[in-house]
Amino acid sequence: MAILIDGKAVSAAERELIKEQISKMTVKPGLAVILVGEDPASQVYVRNKKKACADVGIYSESYDLAAETSQAELLELIDKLNNKDDIHGILVQLPLPKHIDETAVINAIVPEKDVDAFHPVNVGKIMTGDYDFLPCTPAGVMCLLKHYNIDPSGKECVVVGRSNIVGKPQAMLLLHANGTVTICHSRTKDLKAKCLEADILVVAIGKPDFITGDMVKEGAVVVDVGINRKADGKLTGDVDFATVEPKASYITPVPGGAGPMTITMLLKNTVKAAELKGE
Ligand code: NAP
């Protein structure tokens, strides 16, 4: 039986540390959260982020903009927030409505306030290992591994998925931790063979229960980043828990595994941004 990696517990422990850190700071960290449109999932994410800020003592401002907001108006708001002293982090909830160019918006946030670590400057820093902010979801995965004393050093690490938000930065963080990293994607020829090599398997593809037990090596550590909603409304990951769990040594459940860590890492980045500004 695999050991369950409890993202809720690790997240709660990390948030206590963040709270303690903030209580000792002279400057109160501030986060601006921008939501454009009324996507229900995005509304939930934004609400959770604001609540998490309040719980640890981060000041937050929210900007709920109409779906018709023009790109120019959004860029103007970002410019204002870039120059606002009590705001250390700016988060624009993605996806944005189709008429707005996401890249232009990401690039408009000054790198010092880019707490999602999506700006090309921060992406470059992740590549070199000289980073201020870690991308939230992959950083959350690394934090989970650390809590369970799972050291990627020298291990075969397979990342399934190559998105800019999860897969690519995840691979980079595992590489910085001295893992031997393989990145798989939809054009990978023999995905099963690659996955079977993994000592640590991180899956982020957005396909419900896609990775099955026959694709996982006995004793592997399996981290499921996927969040998929099934027809019955329940959440499931990209990993078929029922068949993979008996083979894994450690596994993240969905929900309650990698998911809760993402917002915690956002809080961490906001505190870091405030600290860096104070230096
Ligand atoms: P994405 O941008 O859609 O990227 C999916 C990746 O999976 C792509 O690189 C794609 O390959 C690859 N892929 C798709 N089908 C595949 C297949 N059959 N075999 C191998 N690779 C395949 O997704 P994402 O934003 O990275 O998100 C992935 C999942 O993680 C989603 O379920 C999302 O909801 C979840 N997520 C969770 C959090 C969190 O807070 N825990 C945060 C972000 C995302 P190609 O590049 O070749 O198309």
Side-chain angles (χ1 to χ4, degrees):
M1 270 233 322
I3 293 171
L4 273 193
I5 297 182
D6 186 345
K8 276 193 204 157
V10 175
S11 187
E14 285 291 319
R15 287 187 196 192
E16 277 309 310
L17 294 176
I18 295 168
K19 208 170 175 176
E20 205 181 305
Q21 195 182 349
I22 293 172
S23 70
K24 292 182 192 143
M25 289 170 74
T26 47
V27 174
K28 191 175 173 102
L31 177 71
V33 183
I34 305 174
L35 173 65
V36 188
E38 276 125 39
D39 176 60
S42 293
Q43 283 173 330
V44 173
Y45 290 139
V46 163
R47 209 181 310 135
N48 290 344
K49 284 169 187 174
K50 286 193 289 201
K51 185 181 176 303
C53 282
D55 288 348
V56 297
I58 291 177
Y59 162 71
S60 76
E61 275 177 9
S62 56
Y63 296 86
D64 295 341
L65 309 180
E68 310 79 54
T69 302
S70 71
Q71 182 167 318
E73 284 168 321
L74 179 55
L75 293 179
E76 200 178 310
L77 172 61
I78 291 171
D79 185 51
K80 195 179 98 188
L81 295 169
N82 277 340
N83 294 296
K84 201 167 183 286
D85 279 341
D86 57 349
I87 290 299
H88 305 96
I90 302 171
L91 181 141
V92 180
Q93 185 64 45
L94 301 179
L96 288 167
K98 292 220 165 17
H99 66 278
I100 299 178
D101 176 5
E102 275 185 9
T103 307
V105 171
I106 289 168
N107 291 356
I109 300 171
V110 287
E112 302 77 39
K113 296 192 180 187
D114 168 42
V115 284
D116 259 334
F118 292 161
H119 189 285
V121 166
N122 288 322
V123 173
K125 286 182 165 198
I126 292 159
M127 183 79 130
T128 59
D130 168 32
Y131 34 69
D132 298 319
F133 307 123
L134 289 171
C136 299
T137 301
V141 171
M142 299 309 284
C143 187
L144 285 177
L145 295 179
K146 196 162 176 219
H147 266 262
Y148 284 82
N149 292 318
I150 299 162
D151 182 1
S153 182
K155 304 238 167 65
E156 295 296 330
C157 302
V158 176
V159 178
V160 190
R162 58 171 164 178
S163 70
N164 288 334
I165 292 174
V166 189
K168 280 185 211 163
Q170 185 68 69
M172 213 42 70
L173 298 192
L174 287 164
L175 183 63
H176 290 317
N178 299 317
T180 302
V181 184
T182 304
I183 308 175
C184 299
H185 45 80
S186 67
R187 309 287 177 91
T188 297
K189 268 200 186 127
D190 190 350
L191 182 65
K192 180 176 170 180
K194 298 286 179 209
C195 290
L196 277 168
E197 285 171 14
D199 299 314
I200 299 176
L201 180 65
V202 182
V203 189
I205 57 177
K207 296 253 153 78
D209 308 328
F210 186 84
I211 301 290
T212 44
D214 59 319
M215 301 168 81
V216 175
K217 181 163 85 178
E218 200 71 50
V221 173
V222 181
V223 180
D224 187 355
V225 177
I227 303 175
N228 310 290
R229 201 166 283 282
K230 291 194 289 192
D232 62 4
K234 288 197 179 133
L235 292 182
T236 191
D238 292 342
V239 172
D240 179 38
F241 191 88
T243 58
V244 173
E245 186 273 337
K247 293 187 84 179
S249 56
Y250 292 83
I251 188 166
T252 57
V254 177
M261 297 301 294
T262 299
I263 295 182
T264 303
M265 296 300 113
L266 170 74
L267 302 175
K268 240 183 169 170
N269 282 347
T270 306
V271 172
K272 183 87 184 278
E275 276 180 347
L276 289 172
K277 197 183 168 222
E279 272 175 7

